[in-house]
Amino acid sequence: MFAALMGGKEMKGSELRLPYAAYHFTTSGAAVAVATAVTHPLDVVKVRLQMQLAGQRGHLVGMGTIFTQMIKNEGAGSLYLGLGPALTRSLLYGGLRLGLYEPFKYVCEHVVGSTNIFVKIASGAFSGAIATGVTNPTEVLKVRLQMNSSSQTGPFREMYKIVSDEGVRALWKGVGPAMARASCLTASQLATYDESKQVLLKWTPLEEGFHLHLISSCIAGTVGTLVTAPVDMIKTRLMLQQEARGVRNYRNAFHCAYQVVLTEGFGALYKGGSATFARLGPQTAITFIVCEKLRELVGIKAI
């Protein structure tokens, strides 16, 4: 049963189960961490775009302008603000998000007797939500550091400051939208990637390998961006809200979305959309290509 859940590799004895499970989760986490390291500057730019003109209408500057202003005013190092928490989150979140997808999918297959697109979407949604609920503090820490280039404190001092000023619950700010985003992202990414691979294998001459992984991951990255951009923007606003410094602007995710549309216009839900797409597209491609290669190296079946 365990072998079926973990991709079909037969186990002989309980001593082999832990290493195999470790391979399954670490290959996923390592792949996401590599993708995060490459695309992190775009994540910083995305957060800055999402926070511009918060609570008011006005002319929005683009990704190129924000990028140039950061280099000019804060230095090139500002593009890597929050990298430590981002990599920590990637290892944990990536390992759980991708690592839980297939077990969930195989459980659903065992229960309902099918792995259709709806099963894949549900499996991705569950794994994404669980992974984000566990790792939300690292996401809060990351976005706080990304918005504060003048801070001289490291991640641990920043976390201590958040807890002392706002309480432990502040580490789970925005966890609702974050879980919703992760559910949407993981469901759309993994289900689209999985389904695209099957369609391409069936209807094209492509075989398991780099070109199949690249095309499928590009499709998955595009779908994931369109689905998750508004939820990601709301999540960022809630995580950066600091009640200790003034009035609480947003009561919850729905109130945040309502206030953003009311005060900034519907298009504000896609603030940072260009940076999200520029980041998520390459990140998705790198994640799946690296993950598939690592799985091949350790002898795990392809996604």
Side-chain angles (χ1 to χ4, degrees):
M1 179 65 178
F2 185 87
L5 293 181
M6 298 304 287
K9 186 174 180 179
E10 187 173 350
M11 298 288 110
K12 294 182 179 180
S14 59
E15 71 279 0
L16 294 179
R17 294 184 179 182
L18 181 59
Y20 185 75
Y23 278 138
H24 195 77
F25 282 81
T26 55
T27 54
S28 302
V32 176
V34 170
T36 296
V38 173
T39 61
H40 187 75
L42 290 168
D43 188 40
V44 179
V45 172
K46 178 208 71 175
V47 170
R48 297 294 182 94
L49 286 167
Q50 289 173 334
M51 290 304 296
Q52 66 174 314
L53 295 178
Q56 57 185 303
R57 297 176 185 264
H59 176 69
L60 300 176
V61 300
M63 181 172 64
T65 302
I66 291 288
F67 185 89
T68 303
Q69 288 176 350
M70 289 181 65
I71 295 292
K72 180 180 178 181
N73 299 330
E74 304 172 45
S78 64
L79 296 173
Y80 290 91
L81 290 169
L83 180 60
L87 291 176
T88 301
R89 177 182 179 274
S90 295
L91 288 168
L92 299 174
Y93 167 75
L96 289 169
R97 185 172 73 102
L98 296 180
L100 289 174
Y101 170 72
E102 287 179 285
F104 272 128
K105 187 176 73 170
Y106 287 117
V107 167
C108 290
E109 180 183 20
H110 180 72
V111 172
V112 303
S114 173
T115 53
N116 58 42
I117 185 64
F118 299 107
V119 167
K120 294 173 183 177
I121 290 172
S123 301
F126 278 121
S127 60
I130 291 172
T132 292
V134 172
T135 62
N136 198 73
T138 59
E139 178 76 359
V140 172
L141 186 60
K142 182 193 74 169
V143 296
R144 291 291 182 93
L145 290 171
Q146 286 176 336
M147 283 298 296
N148 190 10
S149 62
S150 62
S151 175
Q152 300 300 312
T153 63
F156 293 107
R157 289 183 65 85
E158 184 67 23
M159 180 173 286
Y160 174 78
K161 182 175 180 295
I162 292 171
V163 172
S164 61
D165 290 350
E166 305 171 56
V168 175
R169 291 180 61 184
L171 296 174
W172 272 270
K173 278 185 176 180
V175 68
M179 291 177 71
R181 174 191 177 274
S183 292
C184 293
L185 178 62
T186 308
S188 58
Q189 270 189 342
L190 283 170
T192 302
Y193 179 78
D194 199 344
E195 197 70 13
S196 296
K197 278 185 65 177
Q198 300 308 312
V199 171
L200 290 169
L201 284 169
K202 182 177 180 179
W203 296 105
T204 72
L206 290 170
E207 298 179 351
E208 194 71 51
F210 175 79
H211 293 97
L212 176 65
H213 301 159
L214 177 61
I215 295 170
S216 300
S217 62
C218 287
I219 296 171
T222 301
V223 173
T225 301
L226 293 174
V227 170
T228 61
V231 186
D232 186 60
M233 197 281 297
I234 292 168
K235 174 212 71 172
T236 299
R237 290 288 181 90
L238 288 172
M239 286 182 173
L240 286 168
Q241 182 170 249
Q242 300 182 42
E243 289 92 337
R245 295 188 179 181
V247 179
R248 187 180 186 184
N249 295 319
Y250 310 122
R251 294 192 293 271
N252 51 51
F254 294 107
H255 183 249
C256 179
Y258 172 75
Q259 287 296 322
V260 167
V261 173
L262 182 67
T263 60
E264 303 170 50
F266 182 81
L269 291 174
Y270 279 88
K271 279 184 179 180
S274 57
T276 299
F277 183 78
R279 168 183 169 267
L280 195 55
Q283 185 184 48
T284 303
I286 294 169
T287 296
F288 283 121
I289 290 171
V290 172
C291 186
E292 295 279 29
K293 189 62 180 177
L294 290 175
R295 290 167 73 97
E296 178 187 340
L297 291 173
V298 299
I300 302 176
K301 189 175 73 172
I303 295 173

